[in-house]
Amino acid sequence: YVGCAKSGSTVTLTADPTNTVPYASMGNVSVGPNDLVLNAGTYIFNSLQIAGNARITANGNVTIKIAGVGTTTPLTLTGNSISNSSYNPNNLKIIYGGTGNISLTGGTATAAILYAPNASVTLSGNGDVYGSIVAGRLSVTGGGEILYDTNLATTGLTYGKPVMSGFNWRTF
C-alpha cells in the first residue's frame, strides 16, 4: 500500500485522499506485535484483528470501515489496543454494516464511535468506552462501562438522543 511506512515496531498508514483504494487491496489486516498508526482519513479493511500488546493509534479524524466479506468475526480488538489520546469519540469512528461478530476486549479506556447496527458486539474486560456503540446485539461483561458522550447528540453518527428499543436483566 502506497501510504504505508514502517519505523521500528510501528506501522503508519496515511489514507488515500481520493478514497479510490478498494477494501480488497487492504484485505484482512492483522496487527501484532507492531503498532498501527492511522493518520486522519478513511480506511477500508475487509477485516481488522489487533492482538497482544499491539495498539491502533488515531492521529486526527479517523474513520475505519469494515467490509467483513467472507468472515464471521470481521473486527477483533484485544489487549490495550485502541488509543485515541484526544478522548474525542468523533476522532475515531468504526463502521460495519454486516451481521458478523465484533469482539472488543481490553483493560484501557478509549474514546470512539462504533456503528454496527446489524452486528453482535461483545465488550469485555475492564476498559471503559467513551462515545457510543450502536449494535444489533450488545453484550457487556467485566468491569468496563460505556459512557455516552453527550456532545454526540448533535455530531457524529448518532444524531439525536440515544434510544434503547429493549432491555432485560439476566442472571448469570
Side-chain angles (χ1 to χ4, degrees):
Y1 176 68
V2 126
C4 182
K6 185 172 189 292
S7 174
S9 65
T10 301
V11 175
T12 302
L13 291 179
T14 301
D16 175 8
T18 63
N19 288 320
T20 59
V21 179
Y23 72 86
S25 65
M26 295 296 276
N28 299 315
V29 175
S30 180
V31 179
N34 294 334
D35 293 341
L36 178 63
V37 176
L38 299 175
N39 290 324
T42 300
Y43 298 87
I44 303 171
F45 304 114
N46 187 52
S47 69
L48 179 61
Q49 315 296 320
I50 299 179
N53 292 323
R55 293 185 73 100
I56 198 170
T57 302
N59 282 340
N61 190 346
V62 171
T63 300
I64 299 171
K65 294 181 178 181
I66 306 292
V69 176
T71 180
T72 58
T73 307
L75 180 63
T76 302
L77 306 176
T78 61
N80 302 321
S81 58
I82 302 176
S83 176
N84 177 2
S85 60
S86 71
Y87 276 92
N88 177 353
N90 274 314
N91 282 348
L92 181 56
K93 296 177 275 306
I94 302 171
I95 302 168
Y96 170 61
T99 59
N101 301 310
I102 294 176
S103 175
L104 308 174
T105 306
T108 300
T110 193
I113 296 171
L114 174 60
Y115 184 76
N118 304 312
S120 293
V121 176
T122 301
L123 177 65
S124 59
N126 295 318
D128 296 334
V129 175
Y130 298 94
S132 71
I133 296 177
V134 175
R137 178 178 168 92
L138 178 63
S139 172
V140 180
T141 60
E145 297 181 307
I146 301 168
L147 304 160
Y148 179 72
D149 185 338
T150 56
N151 292 323
L152 295 175
T154 57
T155 63
L157 297 169
T158 55
Y159 186 77
K161 296 183 189 266
V163 176
M164 186 177 295
S165 62
F167 179 81
N168 65 41
W169 288 99
R170 269 199 222 172
T171 304
F172 294 99

